């Protein structure tokens, strides 16, 4: 999440500065200059701590510390190589106006900006004043930011998550969730 968040921040900073000529690779380079340092320090300290822990005489703890040390190392290596490349590929997908799902076979009709609040004249309430007029009634509806569900109005998703949140706040729903979790725990034991 640090790499993805910093990558989006770099894109936003470039858009605010007016630097639209930077490639995704150059943006990732700037991202790794900022986020890579914190990831390196965290991973290095974890690796060293587990490495020191592996010098213990307890065999189970020694095995755990060795496993954790090399696990941290390989996660770090995959984050700076594979995940960074996936973020760049996803950025290229988003900038070519491809949806999240089925990105190889279809293209969105309506522009799908990554930061709609930076669009000139955007509504300050929800960050987007684009509408979809392709519906049968001819009435424009607000677009959401999900690439797969770009035809679903954002009001519908807000209402859906509001109802889910209200249901989760109900005592009986909480009790049912706890009982199901306890039942699964007892069944698994």
């Amino acid at each position: 999440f640090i790499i993805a968040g910093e990558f989006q921040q770099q894109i936003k900073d470039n858009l605010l500065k007016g630097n639209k000529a930077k490639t995704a690779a150059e943006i990732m380079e700037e991202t790794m200059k900022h986020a890579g340092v914190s990831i390196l320090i965290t991973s290095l300290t974890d690796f060293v701590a587990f490495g020191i822990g592996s010098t213990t005489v307890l065999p189970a703890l020694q095995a755990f510390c060795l496993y954790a040390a090399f696990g941290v190392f390989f996660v770090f290596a995959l984050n700076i190589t594979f995940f960074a490349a996936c973020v760049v590929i996803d950025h290229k997908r988003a900038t070519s106006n491809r949806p999240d799902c089925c990105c190889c076979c279809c293209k969105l009709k309506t522009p799908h900006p990554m930061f709609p609040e930076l669009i000139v004249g955007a509504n300050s309430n929800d960050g987007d004043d684009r509408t979809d007029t392709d519906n049968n009634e001819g009435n424009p509806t607000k677009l959401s930011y999900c690439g797969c569900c770009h035809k679903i109005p954002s009001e519908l998703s807000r209402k859906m998550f509001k109802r889910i949140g209200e249901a989760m706040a109900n005592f009986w729903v909480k009790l049912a969730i706890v009982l199901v979790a306890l039942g699964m725990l007892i069944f698994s034991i």
Side-chain angles (χ1 to χ4, degrees):
F1 65 90
I2 293 173
I3 293 174
E6 183 63 32
F7 188 79
Q8 289 184 347
Q9 187 62 43
Q10 290 294 327
I11 293 170
K12 198 172 190 178
D13 290 347
N14 286 329
L15 287 174
L16 288 172
K17 291 177 187 174
N19 293 341
K20 294 185 180 181
K22 280 195 171 183
T23 65
E26 291 170 340
I27 295 171
M28 181 52 74
E29 180 182 344
E30 291 294 319
T31 298
M32 293 309 277
K33 284 181 184 176
H34 294 280
V37 175
S38 63
I39 294 170
L40 172 68
I41 291 171
T42 304
S43 299
L44 185 64
T45 55
D46 289 348
F47 180 77
V48 169
F50 284 120
I52 291 170
S54 69
T55 61
T56 186
V57 294
L58 300 171
L61 187 59
Q62 183 182 23
F64 169 76
C65 287
L66 279 172
Y67 183 78
F70 284 104
V72 167
F73 172 75
F74 286 117
V75 166
F76 169 73
L78 286 173
N79 272 329
I80 63 171
T81 56
F82 182 73
F83 181 72
C86 288
V87 170
V88 170
I89 290 169
D90 184 61
H91 174 69
K92 289 180 180 179
R93 176 208 52 84
T95 55
S96 66
N97 207 31
R98 300 272 182 193
D100 301 342
C101 301
C102 306
C103 61
C104 297
C105 59
C106 62
K107 199 168 185 175
L108 297 175
K109 294 178 184 176
T110 308
H112 188 265
M114 193 171 290
F115 296 103
E117 68 270 11
L118 297 179
I119 297 174
V120 176
N123 187 355
S124 61
N125 294 336
D126 61 0
D128 190 3
D129 60 354
R130 296 174 302 133
T131 57
D132 178 17
T133 55
D134 292 340
N135 56 13
N136 295 336
E137 298 87 31
N139 299 328
T141 58
K142 293 279 189 184
L143 290 176
S144 68
Y145 302 119
C146 175
C148 292
C149 308
H150 70 283
K151 296 290 183 184
I152 297 176
S154 59
E155 292 85 14
L156 179 65
S157 64
R158 282 190 202 122
K159 288 178 184 177
M160 180 180 69
F161 285 114
K162 182 180 177 186
R163 289 200 177 138
I164 290 172
E166 290 170 353
M168 294 293 288
N170 187 345
F171 172 76
W172 297 108
V173 174
K174 289 179 186 178
L175 182 64
I177 291 171
V178 169
L179 289 175
V180 167
L182 282 174
M184 291 171 56
L185 176 67
I186 291 169
F187 181 72
S188 67
I189 293 175

